[in-house]
């Protein structure tokens, strides 16, 4: 027992340290003061209207406009294009500077295209995942509804004396698992 208690205390200390570290990282990400005293609030409820308003083409266009990665790749492409145009305008085609500028421009063009494709693929994956997660949540809610009615039935049977206390506790465990599944699906 003493050994188990010592291990639990050690695990608890490690968990508290990791939690503090995560809070500090979160504060760094949002630009808040680093005191580790961040308190997270509950997740907002998701309205059906939000899911219904999802439009892949419009949402992708909006996300592209806000993407720093695409902005940086486009800026690099524009700079390489300007350098290439300057080298081309100087009519210095056979020189090393011209060839370097051309290769840099072509490389930046391919990097930009790859950045766009990667962004679109990741966005599509996330967009499609929303529908799947919504379906998982609906399934968990259906299961919870069933477990609630099942538990109510088991509770009635327990009061009538037709089932044991352990059977009622099993039904209570099933209900708790269903509630946990719904909470997980919401996250």
């Amino acid at each position: 027992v003493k050994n188990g208690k010592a291990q639990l205390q050690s695990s608890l200390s490690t968990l508290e340290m990791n939690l503090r570290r995560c809070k500090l990282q979160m504060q760094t990400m949002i630009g808040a003061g680093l005191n580790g005293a961040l308190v997270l609030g509950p997740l907002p409820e998701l309205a059906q209207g939000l899911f219904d308003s999802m439009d892949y083409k419009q949402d992708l266009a909006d996300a592209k406009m806000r993407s720093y990665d695409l902005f940086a790749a486009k800026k690099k492409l524009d700079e390489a294009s300007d350098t290439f145009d300057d080298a081309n305008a100087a009519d210095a085609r056979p020189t090393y500077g011209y060839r370097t500028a051309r290769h840099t421009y072509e490389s930046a063009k391919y990097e930009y295209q790859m950045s766009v494709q990667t962004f679109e693929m990741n966005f599509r994956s996330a967009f499609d995942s929303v529908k799947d997660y919504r379906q998982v949540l609906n399934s968990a809610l259906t299961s919870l509804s069933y477990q609630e009615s099942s538990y109510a039935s088991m509770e009635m049977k327990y009061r009538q004396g037709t089932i044991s206390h352990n059977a009622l506790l099993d039904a209570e465990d099933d209900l708790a698992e269903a509630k946990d599944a719904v909470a997980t699906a919401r996250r």
Side-chain angles (χ1 to χ4, degrees), residues 61-127:
D62 290 345
K64 281 182 171 180
M65 294 295 295
R66 292 182 171 93
S67 171
Y68 176 78
D69 291 336
L70 293 182
F71 170 78
K74 179 68 171 149
K75 184 175 179 180
K76 184 176 181 180
L77 176 62
D78 290 343
E79 289 171 357
S81 177
D82 290 344
T83 302
F84 178 63
D85 290 344
D86 291 345
N88 197 19
D91 205 23
R93 288 197 177 115
T95 66
Y96 175 76
Y98 171 80
R99 288 191 303 260
T100 302
R102 186 182 77 214
H103 290 302
T104 302
Y105 170 70
E106 290 175 1
S107 173
K109 186 168 62 170
Y110 291 130
E111 282 183 40
Y112 177 72
Q113 290 170 350
M114 183 191 69
S115 295
V116 169
Q117 288 176 343
T118 300
F119 183 84
E120 288 176 352
M121 181 185 68
N122 290 339
F123 187 84
R124 171 55 87 181
S125 176
F127 191 87

Side-chain angles (χ1 to χ4, degrees), residues 128-148:
D128 291 344
S129 293
V130 171
K131 291 180 182 176
D132 184 51
Y133 291 141
R134 182 66 178 178
Q135 172 265 325
V136 169
L137 175 60
N138 288 338
S139 174
L141 287 170
T142 302
S143 178
L144 175 61
S145 176
Y146 169 75
Q147 289 299 334
E148 286 174 338

Side-chain angles (χ1 to χ4, degrees), residues 139-155 167-182:
S139 174
L141 287 170
T142 302
S143 178
L144 175 61
S145 176
Y146 169 75
Q147 289 299 334
E148 286 174 338
S149 64
S150 176
Y151 178 74
S153 170
M154 296 298 270
E155 194 174 36
L168 179 64
L169 292 176
D170 286 343
E172 189 176 338
D173 286 345
D174 292 341
L175 178 61
E177 285 178 20
K179 286 179 181 180
D180 187 47
V182 167

